Amino acid sequence: LPRVTLAALAASAATALAAAPLAAAERYVLDPSHSQILFSYDHLGYSTTWGLFSGFEGEILFDEADPAASSVRVAFPVSTMLTGWEARYAHFMSADFFGGDSQVSFVSTAIDVTGADSAHITGDLTLNGVTQAVVLDARLNAKGDHPMEGRPWAGFDATTTLARSDFGLGLFAPFVGDEVRVSISIEAMKAD
Protein backbone atom coordinates (compact mmCIF):
# COMPACT_ATOMS: atom_id res chain seq x y z
CA LEU A 1 0.00 0.00 0.00
CA PRO A 2 2.66 2.22 0.69
CA ARG A 3 4.51 4.58 -1.43
CA VAL A 4 6.79 3.51 1.20
CA THR A 5 7.64 0.29 -0.41
CA LEU A 6 8.59 1.85 -3.77
CA ALA A 7 11.30 4.02 -2.41
CA ALA A 8 12.55 1.23 -0.23
CA LEU A 9 12.67 -1.00 -3.24
CA ALA A 10 14.76 1.48 -5.21
CA ALA A 11 17.31 1.75 -2.45
CA SER A 12 17.52 -1.98 -2.09
CA ALA A 13 18.03 -2.69 -5.75
CA ALA A 14 20.57 0.04 -6.17
CA THR A 15 22.32 -1.26 -3.12
CA ALA A 16 22.36 -4.80 -4.40
CA LEU A 17 23.92 -3.74 -7.70
CA ALA A 18 26.82 -1.91 -6.14
CA ALA A 19 29.78 -2.29 -8.43
CA ALA A 20 32.11 0.71 -8.30
CA PRO A 21 32.75 2.55 -5.05
CA LEU A 22 31.66 6.15 -4.75
CA ALA A 23 32.98 8.81 -2.43
CA ALA A 24 29.61 9.40 -0.76
CA ALA A 25 25.93 8.60 -0.94
CA GLU A 26 24.17 9.95 -4.01
CA ARG A 27 20.60 11.23 -3.95
CA TYR A 28 18.02 9.62 -6.24
CA VAL A 29 14.40 10.70 -6.47
CA LEU A 30 11.47 8.59 -7.58
CA ASP A 31 9.97 9.18 -11.00
CA PRO A 32 6.30 9.65 -9.98
CA SER A 33 5.09 8.85 -13.50
CA HIS A 34 6.67 5.39 -13.37
CA SER A 35 6.28 4.37 -9.72
CA GLN A 36 3.31 2.34 -8.51
CA ILE A 37 2.21 0.30 -5.51
CA LEU A 38 -0.39 -2.33 -6.28
CA PHE A 39 -2.21 -4.15 -3.46
CA SER A 40 -4.70 -6.99 -3.45
CA TYR A 41 -6.79 -9.02 -1.00
CA ASP A 42 -9.32 -11.84 -1.07
CA HIS A 43 -13.00 -10.83 -1.14
CA LEU A 44 -15.10 -13.55 0.55
CA GLY A 45 -13.36 -16.21 -1.52
CA TYR A 46 -15.17 -15.01 -4.65
CA SER A 47 -12.60 -12.65 -6.13
CA THR A 48 -9.36 -10.78 -5.66
CA THR A 49 -9.86 -7.06 -5.11
CA TRP A 50 -7.15 -4.65 -6.28
CA GLY A 51 -6.08 -1.11 -5.42
CA LEU A 52 -3.25 1.21 -6.42
CA PHE A 53 -1.10 4.10 -5.31
CA SER A 54 0.69 6.03 -8.05
CA GLY A 55 2.18 9.46 -8.75
CA PHE A 56 3.98 9.71 -5.44
CA GLU A 57 7.46 10.97 -4.67
CA GLY A 58 10.30 9.62 -2.57
CA GLU A 59 14.03 9.77 -2.02
CA ILE A 60 16.88 7.26 -1.98
CA LEU A 61 20.31 8.07 -0.59
CA PHE A 62 22.42 5.44 -2.33
CA ASP A 63 25.90 4.63 -1.08
CA GLU A 64 27.36 2.31 -3.71
CA ALA A 65 30.57 1.73 -1.73
CA ASP A 66 28.62 0.72 1.39
CA PRO A 67 25.08 -0.34 0.38
CA ALA A 68 24.08 -0.97 3.99
CA ALA A 69 24.52 2.78 4.57
CA SER A 70 21.91 3.60 1.91
CA SER A 71 18.42 4.72 2.88
CA VAL A 72 14.93 5.18 1.47
CA ARG A 73 12.08 7.53 2.44
CA VAL A 74 8.60 7.78 0.97
CA ALA A 75 5.44 9.48 2.22
CA PHE A 76 2.05 10.27 0.71
CA PRO A 77 -1.58 10.75 1.78
CA VAL A 78 -3.76 7.62 1.88
CA SER A 79 -6.40 9.66 0.04
CA THR A 80 -4.38 9.20 -3.17
CA MET A 81 -5.50 5.55 -3.23
CA LEU A 82 -7.18 4.40 -6.45
CA THR A 83 -9.79 1.62 -6.12
CA GLY A 84 -11.69 1.86 -9.40
CA TRP A 85 -15.01 2.13 -7.56
CA GLU A 86 -16.16 5.32 -5.84
CA ALA A 87 -18.22 3.59 -3.13
CA ARG A 88 -15.26 1.38 -2.09
CA TYR A 89 -12.99 4.42 -1.94
CA ALA A 90 -15.55 6.27 0.23
CA HIS A 91 -15.78 3.26 2.57
CA PHE A 92 -11.98 3.07 2.88
CA MET A 93 -11.86 6.77 3.80
CA SER A 94 -14.63 6.35 6.42
CA ALA A 95 -14.21 5.70 10.17
CA ASP A 96 -14.44 1.95 9.42
CA PHE A 97 -10.93 2.12 7.97
CA PHE A 98 -8.74 5.22 7.54
CA GLY A 99 -11.16 7.85 8.82
CA GLY A 100 -9.79 10.65 6.69
CA ASP A 101 -6.56 11.78 5.11
CA SER A 102 -3.86 9.99 7.08
CA GLN A 103 -0.33 9.59 5.74
CA VAL A 104 1.41 6.47 4.51
CA SER A 105 5.17 6.46 5.01
CA PHE A 106 8.09 4.09 4.74
CA VAL A 107 11.54 4.72 6.17
CA SER A 108 14.20 2.06 5.66
CA THR A 109 16.13 0.83 8.69
CA ALA A 110 18.37 -1.88 7.15
CA ILE A 111 19.37 -3.30 3.78
CA ASP A 112 20.54 -6.90 3.45
CA VAL A 113 21.99 -7.69 0.02
CA THR A 114 20.90 -11.22 -0.96
CA GLY A 115 22.31 -11.52 -4.50
CA ALA A 116 23.79 -9.68 -7.48
CA ASP A 117 20.48 -7.90 -8.12
CA SER A 118 18.40 -8.58 -5.00
CA ALA A 119 18.07 -7.43 -1.40
CA HIS A 120 15.78 -7.45 1.60
CA ILE A 121 14.90 -3.94 2.70
CA THR A 122 13.64 -3.64 6.25
CA GLY A 123 11.83 -0.47 7.22
CA ASP A 124 9.15 1.18 9.32
CA LEU A 125 5.81 1.34 7.53
CA THR A 126 3.33 3.78 9.02
CA LEU A 127 -0.26 3.21 7.93
CA ASN A 128 -3.43 4.37 9.67
CA GLY A 129 -1.31 5.92 12.44
CA VAL A 130 0.32 2.57 13.28
CA THR A 131 4.01 1.82 12.63
CA GLN A 132 5.18 -1.73 11.99
CA ALA A 133 8.46 -3.16 10.69
CA VAL A 134 8.13 -4.71 7.22
CA VAL A 135 10.57 -6.44 4.90
CA LEU A 136 10.52 -5.84 1.16
CA ASP A 137 11.86 -8.53 -1.14
CA ALA A 138 13.47 -6.25 -3.73
CA ARG A 139 15.05 -6.76 -7.12
CA LEU A 140 17.01 -4.37 -9.33
CA ASN A 141 15.55 -4.45 -12.85
CA ALA A 142 18.02 -2.09 -14.57
CA LYS A 143 20.54 0.62 -13.79
CA GLY A 144 22.28 2.97 -16.23
CA ASP A 145 21.87 6.15 -18.21
CA HIS A 146 18.26 6.73 -19.25
CA PRO A 147 18.12 6.71 -23.08
CA MET A 148 15.87 9.80 -23.26
CA GLU A 149 16.79 11.69 -20.09
CA GLY A 150 20.56 11.24 -20.44
CA ARG A 151 21.24 10.78 -16.74
CA PRO A 152 21.64 7.90 -14.26
CA TRP A 153 18.41 5.95 -13.72
CA ALA A 154 17.40 2.80 -11.87
CA GLY A 155 14.32 0.59 -11.81
CA PHE A 156 13.22 -1.81 -9.08
CA ASP A 157 10.45 -4.23 -8.20
CA ALA A 158 9.56 -5.39 -4.68
CA THR A 159 6.96 -7.45 -2.91
CA THR A 160 5.73 -7.93 0.64
CA THR A 161 2.65 -9.19 2.46
CA LEU A 162 0.89 -7.25 5.21
CA ALA A 163 -1.86 -8.09 7.68
CA ARG A 164 -4.60 -5.42 7.71
CA SER A 165 -5.27 -6.13 11.37
CA ASP A 166 -1.68 -5.15 12.29
CA PHE A 167 -2.58 -1.59 11.26
CA GLY A 168 -6.02 -1.39 12.89
CA LEU A 169 -7.73 -2.06 9.55
CA GLY A 170 -9.04 -5.58 10.19
CA LEU A 171 -12.79 -4.94 9.82
CA PHE A 172 -14.61 -7.90 8.22
CA ALA A 173 -11.64 -10.26 8.66
CA PRO A 174 -11.42 -13.18 8.21
CA PHE A 175 -14.32 -13.08 5.72
CA VAL A 176 -12.59 -10.37 3.73
CA GLY A 177 -8.94 -11.42 3.69
CA ASP A 178 -6.70 -9.98 6.38
CA GLU A 179 -3.67 -10.67 4.18
CA VAL A 180 -2.79 -7.90 1.73
CA ARG A 181 -0.30 -8.69 -1.03
CA VAL A 182 1.77 -5.68 -2.10
CA SER A 183 3.69 -5.35 -5.39
CA ILE A 184 5.87 -2.32 -6.01
CA SER A 185 7.52 -1.14 -9.20
CA ILE A 186 9.49 2.09 -9.29
CA GLU A 187 11.95 4.12 -11.28
CA ALA A 188 14.37 6.57 -9.70
CA MET A 189 16.61 9.22 -11.24
CA LYS A 190 19.80 10.76 -9.92
CA ALA A 191 18.87 14.12 -8.43
CA ASP A 192 20.25 17.35 -9.94
Side-chain angles (χ1 to χ4, degrees), residues 50-113:
W50 302 87
L52 172 75
F53 291 97
S54 187
F56 51 86
E57 297 176 354
E59 173 180 277
I60 300 164
L61 293 179
F62 178 48
D63 188 331
E64 200 167 356
D66 182 10
S70 299
S71 64
V72 180
R73 285 184 171 273
V74 180
F76 54 94
V78 75
S79 62
T80 60
M81 179 190 308
L82 304 169
T83 67
W85 191 50
E86 190 174 327
R88 179 177 300 119
Y89 175 83
H91 192 199
F92 282 167
M93 295 305 122
S94 76
D96 284 349
F97 292 100
F98 295 102
D101 195 20
S102 63
Q103 286 285 117
V104 178
S105 67
F106 179 87
V107 178
S108 64
T109 57
I111 296 173
D112 177 28
V113 175

Side-chain angles (χ1 to χ4, degrees), residues 37-192:
I37 300 167
L38 186 65
F39 63 91
S40 64
Y41 57 91
D42 176 75
H43 184 255
L44 302 167
Y46 294 112
S47 67
T48 300
T49 301
W50 302 87
L52 172 75
F53 291 97
S54 187
F56 51 86
E57 297 176 354
E59 173 180 277
I60 300 164
L61 293 179
F62 178 48
D63 188 331
E64 200 167 356
D66 182 10
S70 299
S71 64
V72 180
R73 285 184 171 273
V74 180
F76 54 94
V78 75
S79 62
T80 60
M81 179 190 308
L82 304 169
T83 67
W85 191 50
E86 190 174 327
R88 179 177 300 119
Y89 175 83
H91 192 199
F92 282 167
M93 295 305 122
S94 76
D96 284 349
F97 292 100
F98 295 102
D101 195 20
S102 63
Q103 286 285 117
V104 178
S105 67
F106 179 87
V107 178
S108 64
T109 57
I111 296 173
D112 177 28
V113 175
T114 58
D117 62 355
S118 62
H120 290 152
I121 301 170
T122 302
D124 291 332
L125 172 63
T126 300
L127 180 63
N128 199 38
V130 177
T131 301
Q132 296 281 342
V134 301
V135 178
L136 302 176
D137 187 3
R139 178 162 304 282
L140 173 65
N141 297 325
K143 183 180 179 208
D145 284 345
H146 192 287
M148 293 179 277
E149 297 292 333
R151 63 177 169 169
W153 215 267
F156 309 90
D157 283 350
T159 59
T160 194
T161 301
L162 308 173
R164 293 189 295 123
S165 55
D166 286 350
F167 296 91
L169 299 167
L171 189 65
F172 307 121
F175 306 108
V176 174
D178 190 36
E179 182 179 273
V180 177
R181 293 165 302 282
V182 179
S183 297
I184 301 161
S185 191
I186 61 166
E187 293 184 23
M189 65 196 92
K190 188 172 177 184
D192 292 329

